[in-house]
Amino acid sequence: MYQTFVTIVYLSTFLSLIGYVVYWYLRLKQTERDQ
Amino acid sequence: MKDKVTPILGILTLLSFAAGLFYAFTAPPDIHQKELVRIFYLHMPVALMSYVAYFVAMGYSLAYLITKNRKFDRLAYSSAEVGVLFTALTLIGGSLWAKPTWGTYWTWDPRLTTTAIGFLIYVGYFIIRGLIEDPDRRARVGAVIGIVGTLYVPINYMSVYWWRSIHQTPTLKLLGDLEFSADPRMGVALMCMFVAFVIGFVYFVRFRAVVADRIEAKEDRLMEQSFQEGRI
């Protein structure tokens, strides 16, 4: 019954972690481009 | 110099999380909580790693105050930033878990309240850093807050013993004899996710510190340029 709910909690957690890395990766690329 | 360690750590993080997810979703359901217990394999490691992140930030802050090497400041705030992310995930994941198990998303329980206070302390750490322009002063003030702020960790950990709490006492006891009070297959899932978060933490901090190094180098260059052109 709660399988979908648990999956959503996991998905949102991992998407947050991926989002954190992607955000700083893009900042890194932007810094390199501006040099 | 090309950084080869960070991409390898990134791949290791992905692999370890894949293994952690496999065990988390194949471990048996709990007799009372059924499927909901799987949130525990995420909630506990992320909460524990937020403690680690703040202790690491404290260590690097001390190292900065002793050596005045900006590299330690970058590592300190990278670790604190990952700590804030992990604390946010602890609060959100915990609240979502609390609704079907406790019947409410939030209660002013000592563990929850001290976690929220810890989160605000470190959000404040970044706000104060953002308000100081001089890099050395910013690093010095940040280091002091980073050291004092870590006091929240033992208070948060002990809160379930010191005050009446709806939150359970620790499943993995860190003080005294090591004790795990659950099915061994659940222990495997928990340990796999914990190891994945340890590797992930090292990767996040290292990656963030690399980015911080490049951004600071660029800011220093712009500052130098402005100084030479007489704009400062």
Side-chain angles (χ1 to χ4, degrees), chain B residues 102-172:
Chain B
W102 294 348
T104 179
Y105 287 110
W106 185 263
T107 172
W108 294 102
D109 167 88
R111 174 58 72 84
L112 275 64
T113 308
T114 50
T115 308
I117 291 170
F119 177 71
L120 291 177
I121 288 171
Y122 281 91
V123 168
Y125 166 89
F126 284 103
I127 291 173
I128 290 170
R129 284 188 70 101
L131 293 172
I132 304 171
E133 278 190 32
D134 175 27
D136 293 323
R137 188 158 171 263
R138 182 170 58 207
R140 212 166 46 244
V141 172
V144 173
I145 302 171
I147 293 165
V148 177
T150 312
L151 282 176
Y152 126 82
V153 174
I155 296 170
N156 182 260
Y157 182 79
M158 295 304 292
S159 60
V160 287
Y161 296 113
W162 290 345
W163 298 290
R164 282 163 63 93
S165 176
I166 190 174
H167 197 283
Q168 65 159 86
T169 52
T171 308
L172 188 68

Side-chain angles (χ1 to χ4, degrees), chain B:
Chain B
M1 196 179 73
K2 186 95 176 139
D3 176 25
K4 287 177 186 163
V5 180
T6 314
I8 294 170
L9 270 173
I11 294 165
L12 274 177
T13 302
L14 278 175
L15 292 175
S16 53
F17 273 128
L21 282 171
F22 172 77
Y23 286 109
F25 279 90
T26 52
D30 182 65
I31 194 162
H32 299 297
Q33 294 200 30
K34 308 281 186 286
E35 295 295 324
L36 279 172
V37 77
R38 301 192 196 286
I39 298 177
F40 169 66
Y41 310 129
L42 199 62
H43 183 70
M44 190 257 187
V46 86
L48 201 56
M49 285 315 292
S50 71
Y51 288 171
V52 173
Y54 295 137
F55 272 118
V56 170
M58 181 185 77
Y60 282 127
S61 298
L62 273 171
Y64 172 76
L65 287 180
I66 295 164
T67 63
K68 302 290 178 206
N69 185 340
R70 290 258 298 274
K71 177 186 164 189
F72 292 123
D73 176 53
R74 283 194 292 275
L75 285 163
Y77 72 73
S78 299
S79 187
E81 195 177 278
V82 176
V84 168
L85 175 68
F86 283 180
T87 310
L89 291 174
T90 304
L91 286 168
I92 296 166
S95 295
L96 290 172
W97 192 16
K99 180 64 181 169
T101 50
W102 294 348
T104 179
Y105 287 110
W106 185 263
T107 172
W108 294 102
D109 167 88
R111 174 58 72 84
L112 275 64
T113 308
T114 50
T115 308
I117 291 170
F119 177 71
L120 291 177
I121 288 171
Y122 281 91
V123 168
Y125 166 89
F126 284 103
I127 291 173
I128 290 170
R129 284 188 70 101
L131 293 172
I132 304 171
E133 278 190 32
D134 175 27
D136 293 323
R137 188 158 171 263
R138 182 170 58 207
R140 212 166 46 244
V141 172
V144 173
I145 302 171
I147 293 165
V148 177
T150 312
L151 282 176
Y152 126 82
V153 174
I155 296 170
N156 182 260
Y157 182 79
M158 295 304 292
S159 60
V160 287
Y161 296 113
W162 290 345
W163 298 290
R164 282 163 63 93
S165 176
I166 190 174
H167 197 283
Q168 65 159 86
T169 52
T171 308
L172 188 68
K173 289 186 174 59
L174 299 175
L175 303 174
D177 294 333
L178 195 68
E179 186 187 313
F180 181 75
S181 48
D183 187 298
R185 287 169 295 176
M186 293 176 167
V188 171
L190 186 64
M191 281 317 291
C192 275
M193 281 301 263
F194 182 68
V195 169
F197 269 99
V198 171
I199 298 169
F201 167 73
V202 176
Y203 168 66
F204 294 142
V205 172
R206 193 181 162 92
F207 176 68
R208 179 67 185 91
V210 167
V211 179
D213 178 44
R214 306 269 169 87
I215 292 174
E216 280 188 15
K218 186 190 160 193
E219 282 172 356
D220 288 348
R221 257 197 316 277
L222 287 174
M223 186 86 88
E224 184 70 23
Q225 206 177 349
S226 305
F227 191 72
Q228 280 170 2
E229 289 169 3
R231 282 189 274 136
I232 295 177

Side-chain angles (χ1 to χ4, degrees), chain A residues 3-15:
Chain A
Q3 210 151 22
T4 314
F5 177 74
V6 171
T7 310
I8 291 169
V9 173
Y10 268 81
L11 262 179
S12 47
T13 301
F14 283 101
L15 282 176

